[in-house]
Amino acid sequence: KSVGYSGVGVVRRIELSSGATRAIVSSHRTRPLGTSWGSGDRVLYSDLGQIFMISASGGTPQVVMDSPAAERLGELRWPQWLNDGDHYLFFASGDVTERAGTYLASVGSKTAKQILPGLRAAFAPPDRVLYIKDETVYAQRIDLDEGRLVGQATTIPGTVPTTAWLSASNTGVLAISESRAQQRLVWLDQHGKEIGQVGIPKDFTYISLSPQGDKLLGVNSQNGAFELWMVDLTRDVSTKVATNAHFPTWSPDGTKFAYSALNGTGADIHVKSLVDIKADGPLLQSPELKAVNSWSPDGRFLVFNKYRTAEQTWQDLWTLPLAGQDRTPTPFAASQAREMDGAVSPDSRWISYMSDETGT
């Protein structure tokens, strides 16, 4: 009778009969990477590398797989209830390849067991797990008592891209969804005419061009884990420079860049140098989620978004000084509205930003 979905910074439900919507829970991130509505009206969702459970009517969320597990297993994503209302699957994606994959866990336990290395799976009632390998959909039985996949895997006819999503109903119907859109990164002149194309290794959700125009930083989301890539535009060579990283911005001289380093509770601000590895490390560490926006052209400060701890969906605009020893951030635009995406003017005297104080 209802559909649950992720809105902007909130998990919601909509009643099909009336169209009335209701907020279930606010999320740190704009869009939680995975939600699942199970028996007993309990909802699992992923946020900041943790798996939470909450009533579909709202209330206080409970952590069912916490940050110590996230640090050991990598980013925890895409939880999915099993039919017994106790066990659930989730995907872990981290820097250690052998630890990535699909895990089986149960409510009330902070331990999980890997059942499918390196691959993301979907549950198919009553007792099958579906996954894609070599563009083929496989189905294999899961034994909850033993906590592993058993028997011979069977295949479903047809070729399916590894990026496709699988969803199975209680009546045995399988849905396969696929996005065929491919991004093109192009150069335009001042009149909007295309004058060239850039070869990129993956689809990027966020890009930052170096001041000299010879390098590009781009963020790719791979199974819910954000990877930061650098593209050398003169040699057409791409290199992954960080995992669980987002929102890169270049320094004015193009010798280093700052970015948001995601962790189990939020995101810290880090810097990475192209010329001095000793300069790499954190610039600002605190529990909140912080998104780097821009580096002032005079090099004196960074602009970043910070999510308030008390109201997790609200964003404020802050500046982080880089000159001298004092690294105390100060609020630049902090109101009941959300302020975001701050960009510093070329003379470093002004900041433009987005806000929803008008309601849109």
Side-chain angles (χ1 to χ4, degrees):
K1 298 180 179 179
S2 304
V3 172
Y5 66 98
S6 299
V8 179
V10 64
V11 178
R12 297 181 180 273
R13 59 184 290 180
I14 181 170
E15 313 301 326
L16 297 182
S17 59
S18 64
T21 61
R22 181 196 308 175
I24 298 177
V25 64
S26 297
S27 61
H28 288 78
R29 288 186 178 167
T30 302
R31 182 174 61 89
L33 297 177
T35 56
S36 180
W37 196 336
S39 61
D41 264 356
R42 296 179 302 170
V43 174
L44 290 175
Y45 69 97
S46 168
D47 196 16
L48 296 182
Q50 297 173 302
I51 306 295
F52 292 85
M53 182 175 67
I54 191 171
S55 167
S57 300
T60 302
Q62 168 192 351
V63 177
V64 294
M65 193 60 65
D66 59 11
S67 54
E71 293 169 359
R72 185 173 67 254
L73 301 177
E75 291 285 320
L76 307 188
R77 298 288 178 258
W78 317 118
Q80 186 178 5
W81 283 110
L82 272 60
N83 272 5
D84 64 355
D86 177 52
H87 290 85
Y88 62 94
L89 304 176
F90 67 85
F91 179 81
S93 178
D95 294 326
V96 183
T97 304
E98 57 268 23
R99 292 181 181 174
T102 298
Y103 283 75
L104 174 67
S106 62
V107 175
S109 173
K110 294 299 178 67
T111 61
K113 186 174 182 180
Q114 188 186 60
I115 63 169
L116 193 63
L119 299 174
R120 175 161 50 89
F123 178 63
D127 60 356
R128 292 293 190 273
V129 164
L130 304 175
Y131 56 93
I132 302 173
K133 183 178 181 181
D134 299 328
E135 298 188 332
T136 300
V137 178
Y138 289 84
Q140 193 168 357
R141 191 169 72 85
I142 182 171
D143 188 314
L144 297 183
D145 294 330
E146 297 187 18
R148 64 186 182 92
L149 301 182
V150 296
Q152 187 70 26
T154 59
T155 61
I156 297 175
T159 301
V160 177
T162 56
T163 55
W165 290 83
L166 305 176
S167 177
S169 75
N170 288 327
T171 58
V173 177
L174 172 63
I176 302 175
S177 57
E178 174 193 354
S179 174
R180 295 182 179 273
Q182 295 294 318
Q183 292 182 350
R184 293 174 63 243
L185 194 60
V186 299
W187 291 102
L188 303 178
D189 65 15
Q190 294 181 349
H191 303 287
K193 181 182 178 182
E194 184 176 326
I195 57 176
Q197 184 169 332
V198 178
I200 54 177
K202 300 174 182 289
D203 285 348
F204 290 151
T205 59
Y206 193 98
I207 61 173
S208 179
L209 185 66
S210 66
Q212 294 78 16
D214 60 342
K215 293 181 179 63
L216 182 82
L217 292 169
V219 178
N220 170 256
S221 177
Q222 190 70 27
N223 288 320
F226 296 105
E227 298 177 343
L228 182 57
W229 288 74
M230 182 165 61
V231 182
D232 187 324
L233 301 178
T234 58
R235 297 187 298 140
D236 198 24
V237 175
S238 303
T239 308
K240 185 170 72 172
V241 293
T243 302
N244 297 327
H246 211 313
F247 307 112
T249 185
W250 288 93
S251 64
D253 61 4
T255 63
K256 51 184 174 291
F257 59 88
Y259 63 95
S260 296
L262 308 177
N263 54 50
T265 59
D268 297 323
I269 298 178
H270 282 228
V271 66
K272 185 178 285 289
S273 174
L274 305 185
V275 295
D276 182 12
I277 192 173
K278 295 180 180 179
D280 295 355
L283 291 176
L284 178 63
Q285 294 178 296
S286 60
E288 308 89 1
L289 175 63
K290 298 172 287 296
V292 180
N293 291 177
S294 60
W295 199 315
S296 66
D298 61 10
R300 292 187 301 111
F301 60 92
L302 284 175
V303 179
F304 67 97
N305 284 131
K306 184 170 78 169
Y307 283 70
R308 301 181 202 167
T309 303
E311 304 122 338
Q312 297 169 351
T313 60
W314 295 105
Q315 295 167 294
D316 293 326
L317 211 59
W318 289 63
T319 59
L320 176 66
L322 300 176
Q325 300 298 317
D326 187 7
R327 290 288 187 272
T328 303
T330 56
F332 175 79
S335 71
Q336 289 305 307
R338 290 188 296 177
E339 295 88 13
M340 65 199 83
D341 296 337
V344 187
S345 62
D347 61 6
S348 298
R349 296 177 57 194
W350 299 81
I351 296 177
S352 67
Y353 62 95
M354 295 173 59
S355 171
D356 63 358
E357 66 176 298
T358 61
T360 57

